[in-house]
Amino acid sequence: QVQLVESGGGLVQAGGSLRLSCAASGRTFNNYFMGWFRQAPGKEREFVARMWWSGGGTYYADSVKGRFTISRDKAKNTVLLQMNRLKPEDTAVYYCAAARGATVSPLGIEYWGKGTLVTVSS
């Protein structure tokens, strides 16, 4: 079974930092983009960041560019999202995702994690 399992969500004050982890298992992802989406309360799921599982190819949504950093630890089969200078509008359930193509649409995602909640208070 292919699984993406997120962890690291929680409550943080605006301006603070949080690091999310995504543990990937069940297959090799060498030819996949790995990334993060988020879904805020009452909103549609939106793209946050992506990169090649093998490294490189980073791309960020404008809303998080300069604040969030996506990275990977292949030895641990883990993708990370370091979130700095968090804003209340970053509040959302964050989902790890994997896709074969360079998509920024949820429709292009092949595998999803179940999500981890990030709440940023003002």
Side-chain angles (χ1 to χ4, degrees):
Q1 291 287 333
V2 174
Q3 288 190 321
L4 304 177
V5 181
E6 305 94 334
S7 62
L11 175 64
V12 64
Q13 293 281 343
S17 297
L18 211 58
R19 189 181 73 172
L20 306 182
S21 297
C22 172
S25 63
R27 67 162 299 147
T28 60
F29 291 91
N30 288 341
N31 298 321
Y32 279 76
F33 282 99
M34 306 297 295
W36 295 88
F37 286 71
R38 67 187 183 186
Q39 190 162 19
K43 305 296 183 181
E44 295 183 347
R45 194 168 298 186
E46 66 176 2
F47 168 78
V48 176
R50 70 162 188 254
M51 67 176 295
W52 284 109
W53 173 256
S54 57
T58 57
Y59 183 73
Y60 299 90
D62 288 342
S63 58
V64 307
K65 195 175 301 179
R67 299 188 298 119
F68 291 12
T69 302
I70 187 170
S71 61
R72 86 285 186 270
D73 186 340
K74 292 175 65 176
K76 298 180 179 178
N77 277 5
T78 299
V79 178
L80 306 174
L81 184 69
Q82 179 66 46
M83 305 184 294
N84 297 324
R85 303 191 303 280
L86 283 161
K87 306 174 180 179
E89 50 262 47
D90 294 319
T91 295
V93 176
Y94 283 72
Y95 297 90
C96 186
R100 295 181 185 271
T103 182
V104 297
S105 170
L107 299 178
I109 300 302
E110 184 173 351
Y111 302 109
W112 291 102
K114 69 177 183 180
T116 185
L117 177 63
V118 172
T119 303
V120 184
S121 62
S122 59

